[in-house]
Amino acid sequence: MTEEEKVFSGGVAVITGAGAGIGMGLARRCGEIGMTVVVTDIDKGRADKVAAEIVAAGGKAEAIQLDVSKPEALDALAQDVFDRHGAVRLLINNAGIETIGNVWEIPAARWEATLNINIHGVVHGVRAFVPHMLRVGQEAWIANLASIGSFGQMPTQTAYIMSKHAIQSFSECLYLEMQVAKAPINVCSIIPGMLKTSIFDAEAGVGEPESAASHRATMAHMMANYGMDLDEGSRVFVEGLAARKFWISSQPEMTEQAVAGRIAFFQNQSNPELGEQQRALLGI
Ligand SMILES: NC(=O)c1ccc[n+]([C@@H]2O[C@H](COP(=O)([O-])OP(=O)(O)OC[C@H]3O[C@@H](n4cnc5c(N)ncnc54)[C@H](O)[C@@H]3O)[C@@H](O)[C@H]2O)c1
């Protein structure tokens, strides 16, 4: 039996945005190690497909339609899952979208969607599930999806980058709140470097300014060529969760480099400056 199986087998995992990408990879891995996986996504068809795949592979899964930008939907999900299953061992607040464009060019609706999904979706996931976890009193895990972008700067990805800075600090403070409350809840920050997913697909950019399309295509190309395999990354993440780590990186060397850059920026109190990679991405 692997450490992941020892820790998680027989428990329930709830994953948001699990109909594609990293959420899907994590759902499959949780299914493989014997968890009952509640596969949630705004797109029910995608969630159904992932849950059916897990069941076909011999695992346990169910699909639920969920829009994380609706706090009351997260409350209802938590109530429903605890009523039916009694406990949740692992909550992964994964759903997130990329938004590309200059700050002043992104329409208000896309700004609101980005902040509501990427920030409020995580906040309200935690707010909805923690009271039930505390009531049950068993050891549980909450993992929030940060990013390498949590430690950097990137013009034209401002909406996304600021949301990921927010999630990293949210998880850090939440971790400490659990310590102060002596709660049996492990808080983990999942930090993907770059995994092959659909986040930069053209259809995911509906509502962005027209100028975003070429940057989106460049990022999609880079992801397809240099991104880590989804299942490989998901294995690394679940291994880190089972080890009760706070920092869980798919590509630790990328995290170290980004963090070192951030530390130097703070220490030097220098002005923000474009790096070579950023210039290349922006075509300047
Ligand atoms: N792919 C990477 O390399 C990478 C890097 C850093 C961070 N991340 C983070 O990982 C998470 C997943 O990203 P991904 O790359 O797998 O994206 P993806 O676009 O491939 O998948 C995201 C899933 O979330 C769902 N979704 C979108 N809006 C939703 C909503 N309102 N409610 C519920 N579900 C919703 C989509 O339908 C989709 O199935 C995000 O938080 C992202 O910021 C990804």
Short mmCIF file of all heavy atoms in Angstrom, two decimals, residues 156-223:
data_model
loop_
_atom_site.label_atom_id
_atom_site.label_comp_id
_atom_site.label_asym_id
_atom_site.label_seq_id
_atom_site.Cartn_x
_atom_site.Cartn_y
_atom_site.Cartn_z
N THR A 156 -0.39 42.12 -18.90
CA THR A 156 -1.48 41.50 -19.69
C THR A 156 -2.03 40.21 -19.06
O THR A 156 -2.95 39.63 -19.59
CB THR A 156 -1.14 41.23 -21.18
OG1 THR A 156 -0.32 40.07 -21.27
CG2 THR A 156 -0.48 42.41 -21.87
N GLN A 157 -1.43 39.79 -17.92
CA GLN A 157 -2.05 38.68 -17.17
C GLN A 157 -2.36 39.16 -15.74
O GLN A 157 -2.44 38.36 -14.80
CB GLN A 157 -1.14 37.45 -17.16
CG GLN A 157 -1.20 36.66 -18.46
CD GLN A 157 -0.32 35.42 -18.46
OE1 GLN A 157 0.46 35.21 -19.38
NE2 GLN A 157 -0.43 34.59 -17.45
N THR A 158 -2.51 40.48 -15.60
CA THR A 158 -2.67 41.09 -14.27
C THR A 158 -3.81 40.48 -13.47
O THR A 158 -3.65 40.18 -12.27
CB THR A 158 -2.93 42.60 -14.46
OG1 THR A 158 -1.89 43.11 -15.28
CG2 THR A 158 -2.97 43.34 -13.14
N ALA A 159 -4.96 40.28 -14.11
CA ALA A 159 -6.14 39.78 -13.39
C ALA A 159 -5.83 38.40 -12.79
O ALA A 159 -6.14 38.13 -11.63
CB ALA A 159 -7.33 39.67 -14.35
N TYR A 160 -5.19 37.56 -13.58
CA TYR A 160 -4.86 36.21 -13.13
C TYR A 160 -3.78 36.24 -12.04
O TYR A 160 -3.92 35.62 -10.99
CB TYR A 160 -4.38 35.38 -14.33
CG TYR A 160 -4.00 33.97 -13.98
CD1 TYR A 160 -4.98 32.99 -13.82
CD2 TYR A 160 -2.67 33.60 -13.81
CE1 TYR A 160 -4.64 31.69 -13.49
CE2 TYR A 160 -2.32 32.30 -13.48
CZ TYR A 160 -3.30 31.34 -13.33
OH TYR A 160 -2.97 30.05 -13.00
N ILE A 161 -2.71 37.00 -12.34
CA ILE A 161 -1.57 37.04 -11.42
C ILE A 161 -2.01 37.56 -10.04
O ILE A 161 -1.66 36.99 -9.01
CB ILE A 161 -0.43 37.92 -12.00
CG1 ILE A 161 0.10 37.32 -13.31
CG2 ILE A 161 0.68 38.13 -10.98
CD1 ILE A 161 0.98 36.11 -13.18
N MET A 162 -2.80 38.65 -10.04
CA MET A 162 -3.20 39.18 -8.72
C MET A 162 -4.08 38.18 -7.99
O MET A 162 -4.00 38.06 -6.77
CB MET A 162 -3.89 40.55 -8.86
CG MET A 162 -5.23 40.52 -9.51
SD MET A 162 -5.98 42.18 -9.66
CE MET A 162 -6.88 42.27 -8.12
N SER A 163 -4.89 37.41 -8.72
CA SER A 163 -5.75 36.43 -8.05
C SER A 163 -4.90 35.32 -7.44
O SER A 163 -5.21 34.79 -6.38
CB SER A 163 -6.78 35.85 -9.03
OG SER A 163 -6.20 34.94 -9.94
N LYS A 164 -3.81 34.97 -8.10
CA LYS A 164 -2.97 33.88 -7.58
C LYS A 164 -2.08 34.35 -6.43
O LYS A 164 -1.78 33.57 -5.52
CB LYS A 164 -2.14 33.26 -8.72
CG LYS A 164 -3.01 32.50 -9.72
CD LYS A 164 -3.73 31.32 -9.07
CE LYS A 164 -4.81 30.71 -9.91
NZ LYS A 164 -5.50 29.59 -9.25
N HIS A 165 -1.65 35.63 -6.45
CA HIS A 165 -0.97 36.19 -5.26
C HIS A 165 -1.94 36.10 -4.09
O HIS A 165 -1.56 35.73 -2.97
CB HIS A 165 -0.60 37.66 -5.49
CG HIS A 165 0.67 37.86 -6.26
ND1 HIS A 165 1.77 38.51 -5.73
CD2 HIS A 165 1.02 37.54 -7.52
CE1 HIS A 165 2.74 38.56 -6.63
NE2 HIS A 165 2.30 37.98 -7.73
N ALA A 166 -3.20 36.45 -4.34
CA ALA A 166 -4.21 36.46 -3.27
C ALA A 166 -4.39 35.05 -2.70
O ALA A 166 -4.46 34.88 -1.47
CB ALA A 166 -5.54 36.98 -3.81
N ILE A 167 -4.45 34.06 -3.57
CA ILE A 167 -4.69 32.69 -3.08
C ILE A 167 -3.51 32.17 -2.27
O ILE A 167 -3.69 31.49 -1.25
CB ILE A 167 -5.03 31.73 -4.26
CG1 ILE A 167 -6.40 32.09 -4.83
CG2 ILE A 167 -4.99 30.27 -3.83
CD1 ILE A 167 -7.52 32.22 -3.80
N GLN A 168 -2.29 32.50 -2.68
CA GLN A 168 -1.13 32.06 -1.89
C GLN A 168 -1.21 32.66 -0.48
O GLN A 168 -1.07 31.96 0.51
CB GLN A 168 0.18 32.44 -2.60
CG GLN A 168 1.44 32.10 -1.83
CD GLN A 168 1.67 30.60 -1.61
OE1 GLN A 168 1.09 29.77 -2.31
NE2 GLN A 168 2.50 30.26 -0.64
N SER A 169 -1.48 33.96 -0.38
CA SER A 169 -1.52 34.57 0.96
C SER A 169 -2.74 34.07 1.74
O SER A 169 -2.66 33.88 2.95
CB SER A 169 -1.45 36.09 0.88
OG SER A 169 -2.65 36.62 0.44
N PHE A 170 -3.84 33.83 1.04
CA PHE A 170 -5.04 33.26 1.69
C PHE A 170 -4.68 31.92 2.34
O PHE A 170 -5.01 31.66 3.51
CB PHE A 170 -6.15 33.09 0.65
CG PHE A 170 -7.39 32.39 1.16
CD1 PHE A 170 -8.31 33.06 1.95
CD2 PHE A 170 -7.64 31.06 0.84
CE1 PHE A 170 -9.45 32.41 2.42
CE2 PHE A 170 -8.77 30.42 1.30
CZ PHE A 170 -9.69 31.09 2.09
N SER A 171 -3.99 31.05 1.59
CA SER A 171 -3.65 29.72 2.11
C SER A 171 -2.68 29.82 3.29
O SER A 171 -2.78 29.07 4.26
CB SER A 171 -3.05 28.84 1.00
OG SER A 171 -4.00 28.63 -0.02
N GLU A 172 -1.72 30.76 3.20
CA GLU A 172 -0.75 30.93 4.30
C GLU A 172 -1.48 31.32 5.59
O GLU A 172 -1.24 30.75 6.65
CB GLU A 172 0.29 32.00 3.93
CG GLU A 172 1.23 31.55 2.82
CD GLU A 172 2.08 32.69 2.24
OE1 GLU A 172 2.11 33.79 2.83
OE2 GLU A 172 2.71 32.48 1.19
N CYS A 173 -2.37 32.31 5.48
CA CYS A 173 -3.09 32.78 6.68
C CYS A 173 -4.05 31.71 7.19
O CYS A 173 -4.19 31.51 8.41
CB CYS A 173 -3.85 34.08 6.39
SG CYS A 173 -2.76 35.45 5.99
N LEU A 174 -4.71 31.00 6.25
CA LEU A 174 -5.63 29.93 6.63
C LEU A 174 -4.90 28.82 7.40
O LEU A 174 -5.40 28.29 8.39
CB LEU A 174 -6.32 29.37 5.38
CG LEU A 174 -7.30 28.24 5.59
CD1 LEU A 174 -8.53 28.70 6.38
CD2 LEU A 174 -7.76 27.65 4.24
N TYR A 175 -3.69 28.49 6.92
CA TYR A 175 -2.87 27.47 7.60
C TYR A 175 -2.70 27.87 9.07
O TYR A 175 -2.89 27.07 9.98
CB TYR A 175 -1.51 27.37 6.90
CG TYR A 175 -0.59 26.32 7.48
CD1 TYR A 175 -0.47 25.08 6.87
CD2 TYR A 175 0.15 26.58 8.63
CE1 TYR A 175 0.37 24.10 7.41
CE2 TYR A 175 0.98 25.62 9.18
CZ TYR A 175 1.09 24.39 8.55
OH TYR A 175 1.92 23.42 9.09
N LEU A 176 -2.35 29.15 9.28
CA LEU A 176 -2.11 29.63 10.65
C LEU A 176 -3.40 29.65 11.46
O LEU A 176 -3.39 29.36 12.67
CB LEU A 176 -1.45 31.01 10.61
CG LEU A 176 -0.03 31.01 10.03
CD1 LEU A 176 0.50 32.43 9.89
CD2 LEU A 176 0.92 30.19 10.92
N GLU A 177 -4.52 29.99 10.81
CA GLU A 177 -5.80 29.98 11.54
C GLU A 177 -6.09 28.57 12.06
O GLU A 177 -6.61 28.40 13.16
CB GLU A 177 -6.94 30.46 10.64
CG GLU A 177 -6.90 31.96 10.38
CD GLU A 177 -8.15 32.50 9.68
OE1 GLU A 177 -9.14 31.77 9.52
OE2 GLU A 177 -8.11 33.68 9.28
N MET A 178 -5.76 27.55 11.25
CA MET A 178 -5.99 26.16 11.68
C MET A 178 -5.10 25.82 12.88
O MET A 178 -5.51 25.09 13.79
CB MET A 178 -5.71 25.17 10.53
CG MET A 178 -6.67 25.29 9.37
SD MET A 178 -8.39 25.08 9.86
CE MET A 178 -9.21 25.50 8.33
N GLN A 179 -3.86 26.36 12.87
CA GLN A 179 -2.95 26.11 14.00
C GLN A 179 -3.53 26.75 15.27
O GLN A 179 -3.58 26.11 16.31
CB GLN A 179 -1.57 26.76 13.73
CG GLN A 179 -0.89 26.29 12.47
CD GLN A 179 -0.31 24.92 12.63
OE1 GLN A 179 0.51 24.70 13.51
NE2 GLN A 179 -0.74 23.99 11.81
N VAL A 180 -3.95 28.00 15.15
CA VAL A 180 -4.48 28.73 16.31
C VAL A 180 -5.73 28.03 16.84
O VAL A 180 -5.92 27.88 18.04
CB VAL A 180 -4.79 30.21 15.94
CG1 VAL A 180 -5.47 30.93 17.09
CG2 VAL A 180 -3.50 30.94 15.55
N ALA A 181 -6.59 27.57 15.89
CA ALA A 181 -7.84 26.91 16.29
C ALA A 181 -7.62 25.45 16.70
O ALA A 181 -8.56 24.78 17.11
CB ALA A 181 -8.84 26.97 15.13
N LYS A 182 -6.35 24.98 16.59
CA LYS A 182 -6.02 23.56 16.86
C LYS A 182 -6.97 22.63 16.09
O LYS A 182 -7.46 21.62 16.60
CB LYS A 182 -6.08 23.25 18.36
CG LYS A 182 -5.04 24.01 19.17
CD LYS A 182 -5.02 23.48 20.60
CE LYS A 182 -3.86 24.00 21.43
NZ LYS A 182 -3.59 25.42 21.38
N ALA A 183 -7.25 23.01 14.84
CA ALA A 183 -8.16 22.23 13.99
C ALA A 183 -7.37 21.11 13.30
O ALA A 183 -6.23 21.33 12.90
CB ALA A 183 -8.79 23.14 12.95
N PRO A 184 -7.98 19.94 13.12
CA PRO A 184 -7.25 18.83 12.49
C PRO A 184 -7.28 18.93 10.96
O PRO A 184 -7.54 17.96 10.27
CB PRO A 184 -8.02 17.60 12.99
CG PRO A 184 -9.42 18.11 13.15
CD PRO A 184 -9.34 19.56 13.53
N ILE A 185 -7.08 20.14 10.46
CA ILE A 185 -7.20 20.37 9.01
C ILE A 185 -5.86 20.83 8.44
O ILE A 185 -5.31 21.86 8.86
CB ILE A 185 -8.30 21.41 8.70
CG1 ILE A 185 -9.65 20.93 9.27
CG2 ILE A 185 -8.40 21.66 7.19
CD1 ILE A 185 -10.79 21.92 9.11
N ASN A 186 -5.33 20.04 7.50
CA ASN A 186 -4.08 20.40 6.82
C ASN A 186 -4.40 21.33 5.66
O ASN A 186 -5.25 21.02 4.84
CB ASN A 186 -3.42 19.14 6.23
CG ASN A 186 -3.19 18.07 7.28
OD1 ASN A 186 -2.36 18.24 8.15
ND2 ASN A 186 -3.95 16.99 7.20
N VAL A 187 -3.73 22.47 5.61
CA VAL A 187 -3.93 23.40 4.49
C VAL A 187 -2.70 23.31 3.59
O VAL A 187 -1.56 23.36 4.07
CB VAL A 187 -4.14 24.85 5.00
CG1 VAL A 187 -4.25 25.82 3.82
CG2 VAL A 187 -5.37 24.92 5.90
N CYS A 188 -2.94 23.15 2.30
CA CYS A 188 -1.85 22.95 1.36
C CYS A 188 -1.96 23.92 0.19
O CYS A 188 -3.07 24.20 -0.28
CB CYS A 188 -1.88 21.53 0.79
SG CYS A 188 -2.06 20.25 2.06
N SER A 189 -0.81 24.40 -0.27
CA SER A 189 -0.79 25.27 -1.45
C SER A 189 -0.22 24.47 -2.62
O SER A 189 0.96 24.12 -2.62
CB SER A 189 0.07 26.51 -1.17
OG SER A 189 0.06 27.35 -2.30
N ILE A 190 -1.07 24.19 -3.59
CA ILE A 190 -0.62 23.45 -4.78
C ILE A 190 -0.11 24.46 -5.80
O ILE A 190 -0.84 25.40 -6.17
CB ILE A 190 -1.75 22.58 -5.36
CG1 ILE A 190 -2.11 21.48 -4.35
CG2 ILE A 190 -1.36 21.99 -6.71
CD1 ILE A 190 -3.06 20.42 -4.89
N ILE A 191 1.14 24.28 -6.23
CA ILE A 191 1.77 25.25 -7.11
C ILE A 191 2.21 24.57 -8.41
O ILE A 191 3.32 24.03 -8.51
CB ILE A 191 2.99 25.89 -6.41
CG1 ILE A 191 2.55 26.48 -5.06
CG2 ILE A 191 3.64 26.96 -7.28
CD1 ILE A 191 3.69 26.77 -4.11
N PRO A 192 1.32 24.57 -9.42
CA PRO A 192 1.74 24.00 -10.70
C PRO A 192 2.75 24.94 -11.36
O PRO A 192 2.60 26.16 -11.29
CB PRO A 192 0.44 23.95 -11.52
CG PRO A 192 -0.67 24.25 -10.56
CD PRO A 192 -0.06 25.06 -9.47
N GLY A 193 3.78 24.34 -11.96
CA GLY A 193 4.70 25.15 -12.77
C GLY A 193 3.98 25.37 -14.09
O GLY A 193 3.36 26.40 -14.33
N MET A 194 4.01 24.37 -14.92
CA MET A 194 3.16 24.37 -16.12
C MET A 194 2.78 22.94 -16.46
O MET A 194 3.65 22.09 -16.70
CB MET A 194 3.87 25.04 -17.30
CG MET A 194 2.91 25.25 -18.45
SD MET A 194 3.63 26.04 -19.88
CE MET A 194 3.24 27.74 -19.60
N LEU A 195 1.49 22.66 -16.44
CA LEU A 195 0.97 21.34 -16.79
C LEU A 195 0.13 21.48 -18.04
O LEU A 195 -0.51 22.52 -18.24
CB LEU A 195 0.10 20.80 -15.65
CG LEU A 195 0.81 19.92 -14.61
CD1 LEU A 195 1.82 20.72 -13.81
CD2 LEU A 195 -0.21 19.33 -13.63
N LYS A 196 0.10 20.43 -18.84
CA LYS A 196 -0.67 20.47 -20.09
C LYS A 196 -2.17 20.42 -19.79
O LYS A 196 -2.69 19.38 -19.38
CB LYS A 196 -0.31 19.27 -20.96
CG LYS A 196 1.03 19.36 -21.64
CD LYS A 196 1.16 18.25 -22.68
CE LYS A 196 2.44 18.36 -23.46
NZ LYS A 196 3.62 17.80 -22.80
N THR A 197 -2.86 21.55 -19.96
CA THR A 197 -4.30 21.61 -19.71
C THR A 197 -4.98 22.47 -20.79
O THR A 197 -4.31 22.93 -21.72
CB THR A 197 -4.61 22.24 -18.33
OG1 THR A 197 -4.31 23.64 -18.39
CG2 THR A 197 -3.83 21.60 -17.21
N SER A 198 -6.28 22.72 -20.60
CA SER A 198 -7.01 23.51 -21.60
C SER A 198 -7.17 24.98 -21.21
O SER A 198 -7.95 25.69 -21.81
CB SER A 198 -8.39 22.87 -21.80
OG SER A 198 -8.96 22.47 -20.58
N ILE A 199 -6.40 25.45 -20.21
CA ILE A 199 -6.61 26.80 -19.68
C ILE A 199 -6.37 27.91 -20.71
O ILE A 199 -6.98 28.97 -20.64
CB ILE A 199 -5.76 27.01 -18.38
CG1 ILE A 199 -6.30 28.21 -17.58
CG2 ILE A 199 -4.28 27.14 -18.69
CD1 ILE A 199 -5.81 28.27 -16.14
N PHE A 200 -5.48 27.64 -21.69
CA PHE A 200 -5.21 28.65 -22.72
C PHE A 200 -5.94 28.39 -24.03
O PHE A 200 -5.68 29.05 -25.03
CB PHE A 200 -3.70 28.78 -22.97
CG PHE A 200 -2.96 29.43 -21.84
CD1 PHE A 200 -2.03 28.72 -21.09
CD2 PHE A 200 -3.20 30.76 -21.50
CE1 PHE A 200 -1.36 29.31 -20.02
CE2 PHE A 200 -2.53 31.36 -20.44
CZ PHE A 200 -1.61 30.63 -19.70
N ASP A 201 -6.88 27.41 -24.03
CA ASP A 201 -7.64 27.15 -25.25
C ASP A 201 -8.42 28.41 -25.65
O ASP A 201 -8.87 29.17 -24.79
CB ASP A 201 -8.64 26.00 -25.03
CG ASP A 201 -7.94 24.64 -25.04
OD1 ASP A 201 -6.69 24.62 -25.06
OD2 ASP A 201 -8.64 23.61 -24.99
N ALA A 202 -8.59 28.60 -26.96
CA ALA A 202 -9.25 29.81 -27.46
C ALA A 202 -10.63 30.00 -26.85
O ALA A 202 -11.01 31.11 -26.45
CB ALA A 202 -9.33 29.75 -28.98
N GLU A 203 -11.39 28.90 -26.70
CA GLU A 203 -12.77 29.03 -26.21
C GLU A 203 -12.83 29.45 -24.73
O GLU A 203 -13.86 29.94 -24.27
CB GLU A 203 -13.62 27.77 -26.47
CG GLU A 203 -13.04 26.47 -25.99
CD GLU A 203 -12.14 25.79 -27.03
OE1 GLU A 203 -11.53 26.49 -27.86
OE2 GLU A 203 -12.04 24.56 -26.98
N ALA A 204 -11.70 29.27 -24.01
CA ALA A 204 -11.69 29.69 -22.60
C ALA A 204 -11.51 31.21 -22.48
O ALA A 204 -11.59 31.76 -21.39
CB ALA A 204 -10.57 28.96 -21.85
N GLY A 205 -11.28 31.87 -23.61
CA GLY A 205 -11.01 33.31 -23.57
C GLY A 205 -12.19 34.18 -23.96
O GLY A 205 -12.02 35.39 -24.21
N VAL A 206 -13.39 33.60 -23.97
CA VAL A 206 -14.58 34.38 -24.35
C VAL A 206 -14.74 35.55 -23.37
O VAL A 206 -14.68 35.36 -22.15
CB VAL A 206 -15.85 33.48 -24.31
CG1 VAL A 206 -17.11 34.31 -24.53
CG2 VAL A 206 -15.74 32.38 -25.35
N GLY A 207 -14.90 36.78 -23.95
CA GLY A 207 -15.07 37.95 -23.09
C GLY A 207 -13.79 38.73 -22.88
O GLY A 207 -13.79 39.79 -22.27
N GLU A 208 -12.66 38.19 -23.38
CA GLU A 208 -11.39 38.94 -23.30
C GLU A 208 -11.32 39.93 -24.46
O GLU A 208 -11.99 39.75 -25.48
CB GLU A 208 -10.21 37.97 -23.44
CG GLU A 208 -9.95 37.10 -22.24
CD GLU A 208 -8.83 36.09 -22.49
OE1 GLU A 208 -8.42 35.88 -23.66
OE2 GLU A 208 -8.37 35.50 -21.53
N PRO A 209 -10.48 40.97 -24.33
CA PRO A 209 -10.32 41.87 -25.48
C PRO A 209 -9.71 41.11 -26.67
O PRO A 209 -9.01 40.12 -26.48
CB PRO A 209 -9.37 42.95 -24.97
CG PRO A 209 -8.80 42.44 -23.70
CD PRO A 209 -9.71 41.39 -23.17
N GLU A 210 -9.99 41.58 -27.87
CA GLU A 210 -9.50 40.89 -29.08
C GLU A 210 -7.99 40.72 -29.09
O GLU A 210 -7.46 39.73 -29.57
CB GLU A 210 -9.90 41.69 -30.33
CG GLU A 210 -11.20 41.22 -30.93
CD GLU A 210 -11.62 42.10 -32.09
OE1 GLU A 210 -10.75 42.46 -32.92
OE2 GLU A 210 -12.82 42.42 -32.15
N SER A 211 -7.28 41.70 -28.51
CA SER A 211 -5.81 41.67 -28.50
C SER A 211 -5.27 40.46 -27.73
O SER A 211 -4.09 40.12 -27.85
CB SER A 211 -5.28 42.96 -27.86
OG SER A 211 -5.85 43.10 -26.57
N ALA A 212 -6.12 39.79 -26.94
CA ALA A 212 -5.65 38.67 -26.11
C ALA A 212 -5.36 37.42 -26.94
O ALA A 212 -4.57 36.57 -26.52
CB ALA A 212 -6.70 38.35 -25.05
N ALA A 213 -6.00 37.31 -28.10
CA ALA A 213 -5.98 36.04 -28.84
C ALA A 213 -4.55 35.57 -29.17
O ALA A 213 -4.24 34.38 -29.00
CB ALA A 213 -6.81 36.17 -30.11
N SER A 214 -3.67 36.47 -29.60
CA SER A 214 -2.34 36.01 -30.01
C SER A 214 -1.52 35.60 -28.79
O SER A 214 -0.79 34.60 -28.83
CB SER A 214 -1.62 37.08 -30.84
OG SER A 214 -1.38 38.20 -30.04
N HIS A 215 -1.64 36.34 -27.68
CA HIS A 215 -0.91 35.98 -26.45
C HIS A 215 -1.40 34.61 -25.95
O HIS A 215 -0.61 33.75 -25.56
CB HIS A 215 -1.14 37.06 -25.39
CG HIS A 215 -0.37 36.85 -24.12
ND1 HIS A 215 0.89 37.37 -23.92
CD2 HIS A 215 -0.68 36.19 -22.99
CE1 HIS A 215 1.32 37.01 -22.71
NE2 HIS A 215 0.38 36.30 -22.13
N ARG A 216 -2.72 34.42 -25.99
CA ARG A 216 -3.33 33.15 -25.59
C ARG A 216 -2.78 32.00 -26.45
O ARG A 216 -2.43 30.93 -25.94
CB ARG A 216 -4.86 33.28 -25.72
CG ARG A 216 -5.65 32.14 -25.19
CD ARG A 216 -7.13 32.48 -25.08
NE ARG A 216 -7.45 33.05 -23.77
CZ ARG A 216 -7.62 32.32 -22.66
NH1 ARG A 216 -7.55 31.01 -22.71
NH2 ARG A 216 -7.88 32.90 -21.51
N ALA A 217 -2.70 32.24 -27.76
CA ALA A 217 -2.20 31.19 -28.67
C ALA A 217 -0.74 30.87 -28.37
O ALA A 217 -0.33 29.70 -28.38
CB ALA A 217 -2.38 31.64 -30.12
N THR A 218 0.07 31.89 -28.08
CA THR A 218 1.48 31.67 -27.75
C THR A 218 1.60 30.83 -26.47
O THR A 218 2.39 29.89 -26.39
CB THR A 218 2.21 33.04 -27.51
OG1 THR A 218 2.00 33.85 -28.65
CG2 THR A 218 3.69 32.86 -27.27
N MET A 219 0.78 31.18 -25.48
CA MET A 219 0.83 30.43 -24.21
C MET A 219 0.37 28.98 -24.42
O MET A 219 0.97 28.06 -23.83
CB MET A 219 -0.07 31.11 -23.16
CG MET A 219 0.40 32.48 -22.70
SD MET A 219 2.02 32.52 -21.92
CE MET A 219 1.72 31.65 -20.40
N ALA A 220 -0.67 28.80 -25.23
CA ALA A 220 -1.18 27.44 -25.49
C ALA A 220 -0.10 26.60 -26.18
O ALA A 220 0.11 25.42 -25.84
CB ALA A 220 -2.43 27.51 -26.36
N HIS A 221 0.62 27.21 -27.09
CA HIS A 221 1.69 26.54 -27.82
C HIS A 221 2.82 26.14 -26.85
O HIS A 221 3.32 25.01 -26.86
CB HIS A 221 2.21 27.49 -28.92
CG HIS A 221 3.21 26.86 -29.80
ND1 HIS A 221 4.55 27.15 -29.73
CD2 HIS A 221 3.09 25.93 -30.78
CE1 HIS A 221 5.21 26.43 -30.61
NE2 HIS A 221 4.34 25.68 -31.27
N MET A 222 3.18 27.09 -25.99
CA MET A 222 4.25 26.84 -25.02
C MET A 222 3.85 25.70 -24.07
O MET A 222 4.64 24.81 -23.77
CB MET A 222 4.47 28.12 -24.22
CG MET A 222 5.70 28.09 -23.36
SD MET A 222 5.59 29.37 -22.13
CE MET A 222 6.57 30.58 -22.85
N MET A 223 2.59 25.74 -23.64
CA MET A 223 2.09 24.71 -22.72
C MET A 223 2.12 23.32 -23.39
O MET A 223 2.56 22.34 -22.79
CB MET A 223 0.66 25.06 -22.30
CG MET A 223 0.06 24.14 -21.29
SD MET A 223 -1.52 24.80 -20.72
CE MET A 223 -1.01 25.58 -19.21
#
